[in-house]
Amino acid sequence: MKQRLHLLRLLADGEFHGFRELGEALALAPVDLKVQLEALCDDGFELHTRNQSALALATRVEWLDTERIRAVLKPAVRQSLGSIEIFDCIDSTNQRLLQAPPPVTGHGSVCLAEAQSAGRGRLGRSWYSPPAVNLYLSLSWRLENEVAALQGLSLAVGVAVADACERLGAKGIGLKWPNDLVTAGGKLGGILMELRSDCAIIGIGLNVNQSCRQMHAIEQAATSLHTLAHGPVSRNQLAGEILNAAHPVLAGYARDGLGPYRERWQQRDALRGRHVVLSDNPGCLTGVALGIDTNGAYLLETPEGIVPVNAGSLRLRELP
Ligand code: BTN
């Protein structure tokens, strides 16, 4: 991945570069350069060649940049967030913050990466993390609540992330309990909250400028923000907007809980009124989706009555 990112950085200006120049810059033999170029294509990047001797990236790359993110932040958010670390490639931004010292009360730490080698999704799944096109952002926040009261925190953050995406021109973003951001075209992103005794780590993964080819690498139907926004989306702007929107949720959660966000979550509920089934449930619980309760549990109307669901994932039930 290191060499692939180096190659991407050389090509990021969109100009043509000679094969020999690239090979020398990376200290790679032609055959190894070819392997790296093929890997870039597998990552979904389109390359133009000229006279069999030079090539250029079909699209420009906007690199993540701390200063550009900070420039988007509201003053109070800028002050409250300490470091914003950006890695070229890391195993997982959540893992990084799980291992870092906790932020002090009222402050948060932020970590982003261009690519993740072991990106984590919910329920032990992996998170597809190709370089330089998407957002992989984790934010840690010191806890003042009992862990049990935190179920709603990641739901409230989901509302904030959807709002931030819409500020960049994407419309029609829904939430699928507990933490998927979805549209009619498929999954746009997800949130993975991991807890330590002293802080919560909230990991946000969003498909931003991901190509169709990259979309096919994901097992389920997926979409990307640039499709909804009808053009490339600035990942730095997006990261700043997400931090602006998530900060008040985190700063106010100990006092307000899910309350101020519950109705906004319900308005984005992608499953409400539909027949759903709870995955990974041995009893195969099915019912009609009613929305979330005050704690963030999802309510299902079943023949036995209304059942609150606290774990697992919901999916649409195929009716005969
Ligand atoms: C899901 O399964 O829908 C949640 C995906 C969360 C992915 C993000 S990417 C940034 C952070 N680091 C990780 O390893 N995972 C989260």
Side-chain angles (χ1 to χ4, degrees), residues 92-94 116 119-122 127 136-138 180 187 190-192 203-205:
S92 150
T93 53
N94 265 28
Q116 298 184 116
R120 295 206 284 258
R122 286 187 65 246
W127 187 254
Y136 318 117
L137 182 157
S138 298
D180 284 0
K187 181 162 170 172
I191 297 171
L192 173 68
I204 300 160

Side-chain angles (χ1 to χ4, degrees), residues 1-308:
M1 182 59 81
K2 219 171 155 195
Q3 281 183 324
R4 218 182 312 164
L5 275 156
H6 189 172
L7 181 56
L8 254 184
R9 285 198 183 272
L10 294 172
L11 292 169
D13 57 9
E15 303 293 324
F16 276 93
H17 294 263
F19 284 103
R20 180 183 286 185
E21 171 205 332
L22 293 171
E24 281 172 7
L26 291 160
L28 285 178
V31 60
D32 297 322
L33 177 62
K34 192 165 171 255
V35 169
Q36 292 302 324
L37 288 169
E38 280 168 1
L40 268 194
C41 293
D42 289 343
D43 279 338
F45 290 96
E46 206 185 318
L47 297 168
H48 295 315
T49 49
R50 190 172 65 189
N51 303 334
Q52 308 276 322
S53 64
L55 55 84
L57 264 188
T59 46
R60 289 281 179 105
V61 173
E62 183 216 20
W63 298 99
L64 294 170
D65 181 313
T66 311
E67 287 317 309
R68 293 185 70 183
I69 296 172
R70 280 194 179 280
V72 180
L73 298 182
K74 293 178 183 163
V77 180
R78 197 177 309 141
Q79 209 195 358
S80 162
L81 296 179
S83 63
I84 297 184
E85 279 186 304
I86 297 179
F87 291 88
D88 255 4
C89 185
I90 195 171
D91 50 358
S92 150
T93 53
N94 265 28
Q95 184 61 25
R96 164 79 188 170
L97 291 185
L98 276 167
Q99 288 170 337
V104 294
T105 302
H107 292 259
S109 306
V110 180
C111 173
L112 296 104
E114 294 288 359
Q116 298 184 116
S117 56
R120 295 206 284 258
R122 286 187 65 246
L123 306 172
R125 299 188 188 116
S126 60
W127 187 254
Y128 176 62
S129 308
V133 284
N134 291 334
L135 201 69
Y136 318 117
L137 182 157
S138 298
L139 172 60
S140 65
W141 195 261
R142 190 176 271 272
L143 294 175
E144 291 170 44
N145 281 51
E146 289 297 310
V147 168
L150 284 169
Q151 165 147 283
L153 177 58
S154 60
L155 301 187
V157 171
V159 172
V161 174
D163 288 351
C165 292
E166 295 202 341
R167 285 180 71 86
L168 275 89
K171 292 282 169 257
I173 297 177
L175 294 166
K176 187 165 92 57
W177 190 89
N179 277 321
D180 284 0
L181 288 109
V182 295
T183 72
K187 181 162 170 172
L188 184 67
I191 297 171
L192 173 68
M193 186 167 88
E194 297 186 272
L195 297 173
R196 267 180 18 177
S197 59
D198 49 6
C199 66
I201 287 100
I202 293 148
I204 300 160
L206 280 173
N207 304 331
V208 183
N209 295 314
Q210 194 160 276
S211 67
C212 290
R213 186 164 180 176
Q214 287 164 322
M215 233 72 86
H216 290 305
I218 302 174
E219 278 162 21
Q220 64 193 118
T223 188
S224 179
L225 212 49
H226 77 293
T227 312
L228 300 178
H230 305 290
V233 170
S234 162
R235 294 181 301 147
N236 290 306
Q237 176 89 28
L238 178 64
E241 296 291 358
I242 287 176
L243 294 173
N244 279 337
H247 182 267
V249 177
L250 291 160
Y253 195 80
R255 186 189 59 228
D256 305 329
L258 175 60
Y261 305 96
R262 185 170 164 227
E263 191 45 43
R264 284 159 64 192
W265 198 97
Q266 311 280 35
Q267 282 165 9
R268 291 194 185 272
D269 184 354
L271 296 176
R272 194 150 194 180
R274 316 283 297 270
H275 288 266
V276 296
V277 57
L278 180 66
S279 306
D280 315 314
N281 180 271
C284 201
L285 189 64
T286 61
V288 176
L290 296 181
I292 53 172
D293 69 9
T294 50
N295 298 316
Y298 202 91
L299 300 175
L300 289 188
E301 187 177 26
T302 73
E304 287 74 41
I306 295 177
V307 177

